[in-house]
Amino acid sequence: MKLVSKDIDKNSAGGVTMIPEEAEDMWHAYNLITHGDSLRSTTIRKVQTETATGSTSSSKVRTTLTITVESTDFDTQACVLRVKGRNIQENQYVKLGAYHTLDLELNRKFTLGKPEWDSVALDRLDQACDVTQHADLAAVVMQEGLAHVCLVTSSMTLVRAKIDVSIPRKRKGSCSQHDKGITRFYDQVIQAVLRHINFDIVKGVLIASPGFVKDQFYEYMFQQAIKLDNRTLIDNKSKFVLIHSSSGFKHALKEVLQDPSVSARLADTKALGEARALDDFYSMLQNDPNRAFYGLKHVELAAEAQAVEVLLVSDDLFRAQEVSTRRRYVQLVDGVRESCGDVKVFSSLHVTGEQLGQLSGVAAILRFPIPEPESDGDDSDSTDEN
Amino acid sequence: MSRHRAVRTMNYDDEYDFDDVYGHSVEDDYCVSPGTDQIPEEDETMGDKPEGKGSYDEDYDPLKDSSNFQRPPLNPIDEARLNSCLEEMRNIVGETTPEHLMIDAVLRSDFNYEKALNDVLNSQSGKTTEPKSDIACRPKIFMIGGDEPNEGSVVTAPQEPQVTRMTFSTGNQTNSGFTPEKNSGMDVETESSNPACRDLGDSFASLDVKKSASQAKLDAGDSGSSNNTPKKAPFLLKTKLERLDVKKEYAKRQADGKDFINLVVIGHVDAGKSTLMGHVLYQLGFVNKRTMHKYEQESKKLGKASFAYAWVLDETEEERSRGVTMDVAQTRFQTNTKVVTLLDAPGHKDFIPNMITGAAQADCAILVVNATRGEFETGFDAGGQTREHAMLIRSLGVSQLMVAVNKMDTVDWSQLRYKEITTKLAAFLKQTGFKESDVSYVPCSGLSGENLCHAPKDTQLSKWYTGPTLAEGIDRFRSPDRMIDRAFRMCVGDIFKGMGSGFSVAGTIQAGSVQVGDRLVIMPQGDICNVKGIAIDEAPLSIAFAGDNAVLTITGSDMNNIGVGSILCDPMLPIKVTSRFRARVVIFNIDVPITKGFPVVLHYQSLNEPAHIHRLISQLNKSNGEILKKKPRCLTKNMNAVIELSLSRTVCLELHKDCKELGRIMLRYAGHTIAAGLVTEILDKPSSKTE
């Protein structure tokens, strides 16, 4: 994301103009834009004109509109962000108050105005405009008959293809159906890899599976590549890394990212940091349950006592429709920062973020043990609603 | 596509009745018989009028009778003559005449079909003029039809009308197309003893939903296929007629003397499971010498001469070159008293999902441990598969275990070493929940073949060991009681293209029985299919029972509609389908505590599905099941708890209290088994949130 101008006053109200440059920026924009903001961008609008005789004609015009945001919608597969709202600046085509849905486009600037840019939003903005944080990675997590081809960027994990076929088992006296099924399955995975992975962008391709599936697949893929003279695969052979995972399901990606050989290659990306933080949380829960809290109420209690060392929070929570809910989370984050705590905002698109989201979205590792609050029942009920 | 499928999966006798009631346009095409002409027009309103309902019932009589009617025993030539006569007669009278009447007539007229036809037509006209009386005697016919040929079966006639009425009340007019299906399926049910009947009630609720779905499918295909109905119907009726008496057949099989058991072989990687069992198969004569010689030569070429016996079971290229079993190998052999389906499970920890699939089908197990110094210890210590496997099979409901202390030749058949291993294992197995009386120990060597099927020759062993050999140990396993009188359930473990039409599915039948010609429903897809053939160990059969490891040839559905983990069941009592359920679990020895939101892999029979723990309901006292704490924050090792799991896809589940075998689940995470549990409650999606 390119930051064009930033105009935020001392009451932290103001507008920021940005140009999204890649798909991931849309995800950042999705996290920035909330209900009640104003958004200005160029768009295409179908305009109907009525002539004097009463006949109508409609035409599409490109115009710049400013809307107050009412809802946002993010398509993870296509990385398209659609923002719906009412027009607040009349022009010759669009009346005041008319509804319009802005499709944010790559490489077209937009201006986002917020009544209040809170710390979380500003962080997000910094993060979005930081070019050093990029490490695109592709991963194929597979087991016999099931494969997920994923793209892992610093804040997104996108499942590009899921291949699920049933492979006949080995039977007494005949393995040909089994072998044929396996070959067909591998062919499908190779197709998915070629279609969905852009080798110019990704730094590495991880192939992960339990057992020998990965080795078998790797061998087969390059056999095929040589047979079919597929330059893309042959040239990028060095980018492939084989890693062990316990299954071919998507959540096994977490284990894959934590594998030491991957972390060396990945340096320090966000996905990796998240996986590590979540692991720390779980091991703390095991060793000293009074130093690992989760659920908003519990964590707030700990934050009040300035006990939070690391706060794990899912970005899902900041996308809350209600301003007051968002503010509650922002206050929690600010409070922890003030007491010199570390705040990790998890991307809800990562597998780790998904898991944290299931775990009420907020968790904290504490500096010192705090006895578990008694009012247990109410709390877990309220966190269930989130 | 869906319309197309509906045509293929259609129940033709449904169609047939449907036409009688509604289809006036096509009727002229084939309804030559006086029987159908007599069907009153007001049938369309039969839902309201009791009179109409009567005639509607009467419609089904041919089917109902024939489904319970057994052909008199005939020699093959007479059988053929009878069939050809019936065929001729059907061409003339259509399907309105009950098959047993036709058969009677044919037999009376001594296979003269014209004479028989006259008989039938005469009796027909007499019969159709007084439909009322026929209704009155219908239950009686049912009784006779059911009782006479199958003496052993308990046909509870009073229950039958009651059940049928239930099916009526659940639906309205549109149900009529589906009802005959119910009736035919009910045969098995009514024969069953009381507990199964009690189950009827609660499964009806779930049935209704499914029913309407399949109903819609049938409806969709109605108009298209009704024309060819008369052609197909005789085939179906014939298969219906051949329904065998389940209990009798089962008794017949048991009378053969050998019990059936499913045996799984488990143990740490490289304990010698495949070699041991391969050698047993060889010694018992189930592998011929030539093949064995070939394996020996080939394995020598690869420099793995010691793997020759393992090659009997490890058949894929991959498994042989790596020397590791990867998938469960299945084979069958006989000992003196048992017919054994052997499941050779992989020992490597990455293939535990496969091992679970195999163990879920087993009744008893052989745990192979490596006696070599150091090897036993690595397998037995934390991280070894000996512990995990033993715990898994116990949680999967296997209670009989034989421990084969393998590779005893490497420790010179030392009794001391044997004692050391058995005492260590005994303590552990007891703790895992095996009864001491159900566990036996056998020292042996898979490679040299000592003490497998013949008493030990090696003096080092025979001087201190006098117990049973491995094969004798297998003979001592008890065959468990099979639930043959329950509704049919079979978990699909494998799908492949077989010979001829349709495709084949393989798996263990958990409950009930299946016969050629049966209609089954594939859950959770809800597709209806027909059983065209049954085979066990490549031998075709006409009936298979619970506990059998069978291959069914299926038509009427598509291969892509069925996946590993799907469950084939009785269309009358389909298995429950859900994406959220509660389970009582025992947490294993884990490093990372379980919280809500924890992603796990759910293993259930042959299915493995990603799931996550939706919430922790309560923590329980281990011994008495009292609730210690409601809504615990996390669960750590060795706790008992009730948890709620949710899945992204729907799966088939059965409550543990309804069916023990089908009510067990396993949860795994990051390559470790973290919990085993029992399904206690199946939740509907909407209700769980409000509660």
Side-chain angles (χ1 to χ4, degrees):
Chain A
M1 191 103 83
K2 200 182 267 172
L3 190 64
V4 179
S5 71
K6 192 170 164 185
D7 175 26
I8 296 173
D9 62 21
K10 65 179 178 213
N11 298 323
S12 63
V16 173
T17 307
M18 291 163 276
I19 301 174
E21 287 171 315
E22 53 184 300
E24 195 173 340
D25 294 340
M26 286 301 170
W27 171 250
H28 290 305
Y30 176 52
N31 280 291
L32 278 172
I33 300 168
T34 50
H35 187 80
D37 295 350
S38 70
L39 184 68
R40 183 179 175 81
S41 171
T42 97
T43 181
I44 291 170
R45 170 102 179 166
K46 203 157 114 186
V47 181
Q48 271 197 343
T49 47
E50 198 172 332
T51 58
T53 57
S55 67
T56 54
S57 65
S58 73
S59 56
K60 282 182 175 171
V61 286
R62 186 168 271 285
T63 174
T64 304
L65 286 181
T66 312
I67 58 168
T68 50
V69 179
E70 286 190 0
S71 70
T72 53
D73 185 24
F74 184 70
D75 179 357
T76 50
Q77 282 306 304
C79 280
V80 174
L81 177 61
R82 297 164 70 85
V83 186
K84 185 183 149 198
R86 297 176 85 139
N87 188 22
I88 49 169
Q89 236 175 38
E90 189 164 324
N91 67 11
Q92 54 176 324
Y93 305 114
V94 190
K95 285 204 188 86
L96 200 66
Y99 273 99
H100 187 78
T101 303
L102 288 174
D103 256 345
L104 288 189
E105 292 165 70
L106 287 183
N107 301 318
R108 291 210 187 265
K109 72 173 179 189
F110 67 89
T111 311
L112 177 66
K114 274 181 183 291
E116 188 194 353
W117 284 85
D118 53 40
S119 61
V120 174
L122 289 172
D123 275 351
R124 175 63 79 166
L125 194 60
D126 286 344
Q127 195 196 329
C129 300
D130 183 0
V131 265
T132 57
Q133 277 195 344
H134 293 301
D136 281 3
L137 194 74
V140 184
V141 192
M142 61 200 295
Q143 69 187 36
E144 221 171 84
L146 178 73
H148 286 90
V149 178
C150 317
L151 278 180
V152 184
T153 67
S154 69
S155 55
M156 294 193 289
T157 302
L158 303 174
V159 177
R160 281 301 187 192
K162 181 184 172 195
I163 295 141
D164 191 356
V165 294
S166 67
I167 295 174
R169 306 283 276 278
K170 66 170 184 184
R171 304 199 71 74
K172 204 162 166 42
S174 118
C175 298
S176 65
Q177 284 205 19
H178 171 81
D179 295 343
K180 218 184 279 170
I182 288 271
T183 325
R184 211 179 49 228
F185 168 62
Y186 288 162
D187 280 333
Q188 277 175 303
V189 180
I190 295 176
Q191 282 309 314
V193 167
L194 290 174
R195 185 170 305 153
H196 295 294
I197 298 177
N198 184 348
F199 286 95
D200 301 333
I201 296 178
V202 298
K203 284 184 178 162
V205 182
L206 312 177
I207 300 178
S209 83
F212 309 110
V213 181
K214 53 180 185 294
D215 309 82
Q216 230 179 328
F217 172 67
Y218 180 77
E219 218 169 276
Y220 180 79
M221 180 164 62
F222 284 104
Q223 253 173 32
Q224 289 292 310
I226 291 163
K227 212 187 268 174
L228 304 172
D229 196 33
N230 189 328
R231 295 311 308 172
T232 12
L233 283 179
I234 298 170
D235 292 344
N236 291 294
K237 195 173 179 181
S238 60
K239 283 188 180 170
F240 285 87
V241 188
L242 302 184
I243 292 154
H244 179 266
S245 75
S246 68
S247 71
F249 298 113
K250 192 186 162 196
H251 62 71
L253 202 61
K254 185 182 160 211
E255 304 162 31
V256 176
L257 292 177
Q258 278 173 309
D259 193 282
S261 62
V262 180
S263 32
R265 223 179 156 91
L266 272 179
D268 203 22
T269 58
K270 194 164 180 287
L272 198 63
E274 286 175 12
R276 217 171 273 152
L278 197 63
D279 248 27
D280 288 347
F281 171 75
Y282 273 103
S283 53
M284 189 57 88
L285 197 60
Q286 168 79 5
N287 300 330
D288 193 353
N290 285 339
R291 283 181 63 194
F293 276 21
Y294 69 85
L296 182 59
K297 269 194 183 163
H298 283 196
V299 174
E300 270 180 340
L301 212 78
E304 266 168 44
Q306 302 205 330
V308 178
E309 189 174 8
V310 185
L311 179 71
L312 301 87
V313 54
S314 167
D315 62 7
D316 212 19
L317 301 175
F318 300 112
R319 287 199 298 270
Q321 282 288 321
E322 282 165 55
V323 181
S324 60
T325 323
R326 181 185 161 98
R327 190 166 293 151
R328 191 168 166 196
Y329 288 114
V330 172
Q331 272 167 2
L332 178 66
V333 170
D334 288 344
V336 170
R337 287 225 174 97
E338 255 167 50
S339 59
C340 300
D342 190 6
V343 178
K344 286 202 188 308
V345 180
F346 280 48
S347 166
S348 52
L349 281 185
H350 280 315
V351 270
T352 45
E354 249 170 58
Q355 189 179 345
L356 184 68
Q358 293 288 343
L359 189 74
S360 77
V362 193
I365 302 172
L366 309 187
R367 292 197 178 91
F368 46 85
I370 291 182
E372 198 175 318
E374 279 309 312
S375 59
D376 213 2
D378 306 345
D379 182 64
S380 38
D381 267 348
S382 67
T383 48
D384 269 354
E385 313 306 331
N386 293 324
Chain B
M1 176 64 200
S2 68
R3 187 192 156 89
H4 185 73
R5 190 189 310 144
V7 175
R8 281 194 287 134
T9 60
M10 193 142 20
N11 181 353
Y12 291 105
D13 48 358
D14 289 355
E15 281 321 299
Y16 171 66
D17 292 312
F18 195 83
D19 277 344
D20 269 358
V21 180
Y22 300 103
H24 305 290
S25 55
V26 276
E27 206 165 24
D28 322 77
D29 293 344
Y30 60 91
C31 286
V32 235
S33 96
T36 33
D37 287 342
Q38 304 277 331
I39 304 293
E41 285 292 310
E42 67 261 30
D43 259 356
E44 279 189 274
T45 54
M46 94 218 149
D48 319 2
K49 292 187 188 174
E51 196 191 332
K53 194 161 176 177
S55 57
Y56 164 72
D57 261 1
E58 194 243 337
D59 266 354
Y60 294 116
D61 269 351
L63 294 177
K64 238 175 245 161
D65 289 352
S66 54
S67 63
N68 291 292
F69 177 74
Q70 302 271 319
R71 287 190 188 206
L74 290 173
N75 66 36
I77 299 168
D78 284 355
E79 183 83 39
R81 281 161 75 192
L82 171 64
N83 279 341
S84 64
C85 284
L86 287 179
E87 203 71 20
E88 289 285 351
M89 286 168 74
R90 265 194 221 103
N91 287 342
I92 292 168
V93 298
E95 295 312 317
T96 48
T97 317
E99 180 128 356
H100 69 99
L101 286 183
M102 294 210 271
I103 293 173
D104 275 349
V106 173
L107 291 180
R108 252 182 285 133
S109 61
D110 201 34
F111 302 105
N112 179 341
Y113 97 85
E114 276 181 19
K115 216 157 113 196
L117 192 64
N118 278 340
D119 268 359
V120 168
L121 287 179
N122 286 340
S123 70
Q124 271 284 303
S125 53
K127 181 186 147 202
T128 40
T129 45
E130 36 181 3
K132 285 261 162 70
S133 66
D134 191 53
I135 301 164
C137 68
R138 193 182 65 80
K140 216 157 72 194
I141 294 173
F142 179 82
M143 284 249 296
I144 295 163
D147 265 351
E148 230 167 15
N150 9 329
E151 291 138 347
S153 71
V154 205
V155 179
T156 43
Q159 268 176 12
E160 156 76 322
Q162 185 195 339
V163 172
T164 358
R165 210 174 309 127
M166 267 169 82
T167 62
F168 280 139
S169 63
T170 51
N172 45 21
Q173 239 182 349
T174 45
N175 265 348
S176 56
F178 203 72
T179 324
E181 168 54 34
K182 288 178 176 308
N183 287 339
S184 57
M186 199 54 84
D187 298 343
V188 185
E189 240 358 274
T190 40
E191 276 164 18
S192 68
S193 48
N194 275 332
C197 292
R198 197 184 52 221
D199 289 346
L200 274 179
D202 44 17
S203 31
F204 264 117
S206 62
L207 183 68
D208 253 68
V209 185
K210 228 48 230 184
K211 191 173 60 190
S212 52
S214 40
Q215 182 61 42
K217 271 188 193 171
L218 289 175
D219 284 350
D222 271 342
S223 48
S225 68
S226 48
N227 281 338
N228 53 15
T229 311
K231 258 183 277 159
K232 292 277 175 79
F235 164 72
L236 209 101
L237 279 175
K238 213 163 89 193
T239 53
K240 281 265 162 71
L241 194 118
E242 281 163 7
R243 276 199 76 85
L244 301 158
D245 178 5
V246 174
K247 295 219 162 157
K248 215 162 148 189
E249 285 290 316
Y250 190 63
K252 203 158 76 186
R253 185 195 284 192
Q254 283 191 319
D256 288 351
K258 293 198 177 181
D259 281 340
F260 281 64
I261 53 168
N262 294 310
L263 175 74
V264 67
V265 182
I266 53 167
H268 189 64
V269 64
D270 283 340
K273 295 175 291 299
S274 301
T275 303
L276 183 74
M277 292 329 287
H279 208 140
V280 168
L281 287 176
Y282 175 64
Q283 286 195 357
L284 286 171
F286 288 88
V287 184
N288 61 34
K289 282 212 165 103
R290 230 185 68 206
T291 327
M292 205 55 242
H293 184 71
K294 196 180 95 196
Y295 289 158
E296 269 168 30
Q297 293 300 317
E298 282 172 17
S299 56
K300 219 173 265 173
K301 244 184 251 166
L302 277 171
K304 293 177 190 241
S306 65
F307 282 94
Y309 289 112
W311 282 22
V312 173
L313 291 158
D314 296 349
E315 293 192 77
T316 59
E317 196 66 23
E318 193 75 9
E319 288 179 325
R320 288 186 178 176
S321 61
R322 291 185 195 273
V324 174
T325 311
M326 287 157 75
D327 202 352
V328 177
Q330 218 179 77
T331 186
R332 225 170 137 89
F333 66 91
Q334 299 192 5
T335 61
N336 295 335
T337 63
K338 295 276 185 316
V339 177
V340 183
T341 305
L342 174 74
L343 303 150
D344 178 37
H348 193 283
K349 72 170 194 303
D350 277 351
F351 303 120
I352 287 186
N354 294 341
M355 178 257 162
I356 293 176
T357 316
Q361 307 172 0
D363 313 314
C364 36
I366 298 183
L367 174 67
V368 182
V369 293
N370 189 342
T372 316
R373 274 188 205 290
E375 292 284 329
F376 167 73
E377 283 72 13
T378 38
F380 187 65
D381 287 346
Q385 261 65 66
T386 310
R387 272 168 195 274
E388 186 164 2
H389 276 189
M391 266 156 51
L392 276 174
I393 58 155
R394 185 68 201 100
S395 329
L396 285 166
V398 178
S399 57
Q400 303 175 63
L401 182 76
M402 174 158 59
V403 179
V405 184
N406 196 17
K407 305 195 186 180
M408 279 296 283
D409 48 344
T410 60
V411 290
D412 298 325
W413 302 99
S414 145
Q415 189 177 6
L416 230 71
R417 178 69 177 159
Y418 178 72
K419 276 265 167 63
E420 181 192 343
I421 289 170
T422 50
T423 40
K424 261 191 193 169
L425 275 173
F428 163 71
L429 291 174
K430 199 173 168 188
Q431 187 195 336
T432 316
F434 286 97
K435 268 193 233 148
E436 235 164 288
S437 55
D438 282 338
V439 182
S440 58
Y441 300 88
V442 176
C444 59
S445 164
L447 196 58
S448 68
E450 206 70 15
N451 203 24
L452 296 186
C453 306
H454 312 293
K457 292 187 198 86
D458 197 312
T459 46
Q460 276 177 303
L461 176 63
S462 54
K463 76 177 174 216
W464 60 266
Y465 185 77
T466 50
T469 62
L470 192 74
E472 282 165 9
I474 295 172
D475 276 341
R476 288 186 189 184
F477 282 130
R478 296 180 307 275
S479 171
D481 288 334
R482 312 283 184 196
M483 299 182 291
I484 56 160
D485 49 3
R486 299 289 291 266
F488 179 70
R489 298 277 186 274
M490 171 168 155
C491 194
V492 176
D494 189 12
I495 306 143
F496 58 96
K497 194 98 187 71
M499 300 289 200
S501 63
F503 58 95
S504 302
V505 298
T508 303
I509 300 171
Q510 261 85 22
S513 64
V514 66
Q515 306 181 18
V516 174
D518 275 3
R519 275 156 55 83
L520 300 174
V521 62
I522 304 166
M523 295 303 262
Q525 288 84 351
D527 238 27
I528 291 193
C529 62
N530 292 312
V531 178
K532 251 195 98 191
I534 302 172
I536 296 178
D537 198 27
E538 281 163 24
L541 291 171
S542 53
I543 185 164
F545 308 96
D548 287 349
N549 216 309
V551 176
L552 306 187
T553 311
I554 299 273
T555 55
S557 184
D558 193 77
M559 221 166 146
N560 298 322
N561 281 346
I562 185 168
V564 169
S566 296
I567 293 194
L568 291 172
C569 32
D570 189 336
M572 277 306 298
L573 295 164
I575 194 164
K576 294 188 183 76
V577 168
T578 186
S579 64
R580 189 172 286 189
F581 65 96
R582 282 187 188 176
R584 190 185 154 169
V585 294
V586 183
I587 313 287
F588 287 174
N589 208 342
I590 48 167
D591 305 329
V592 178
I594 296 173
T595 59
K596 67 177 182 180
F598 211 70
V600 291
V601 180
L602 169 76
H603 291 263
Y604 175 73
Q605 298 292 329
S606 54
L607 179 84
N608 32 26
E609 251 319 277
H612 64 256
I613 293 168
H614 191 71
R615 67 168 88 167
L616 312 173
I617 308 284
S618 55
Q619 185 192 333
L620 303 176
N621 185 312
K622 251 191 206 169
S623 44
N624 56 15
E626 269 174 32
I627 295 176
L628 285 181
K629 191 177 174 191
K630 277 195 172 178
K631 294 180 179 160
R633 284 203 310 141
C634 63
L635 299 173
T636 50
K637 59 181 152 190
N638 303 329
M639 279 185 180
N640 273 23
V642 177
I643 58 171
E644 192 173 311
L645 286 148
S646 70
L647 300 111
S648 48
R649 285 199 286 197
T650 51
V651 294
C652 304
L653 286 172
E654 192 95 74
L655 292 182
H656 180 254
K657 64 170 195 275
D658 293 342
C659 178
K660 282 203 174 83
E661 276 73 6
L662 287 167
R664 294 182 213 273
I665 54 159
M666 286 287 151
L667 302 178
R668 285 174 56 82
Y669 169 75
H672 299 283
T673 307
I674 56 169
L678 311 171
V679 181
T680 55
E681 197 178 336
I682 291 172
L683 301 164
D684 297 329
K685 267 173 264 175
S687 67
S688 61
K689 199 79 189 180
T690 52
E691 184 225 355

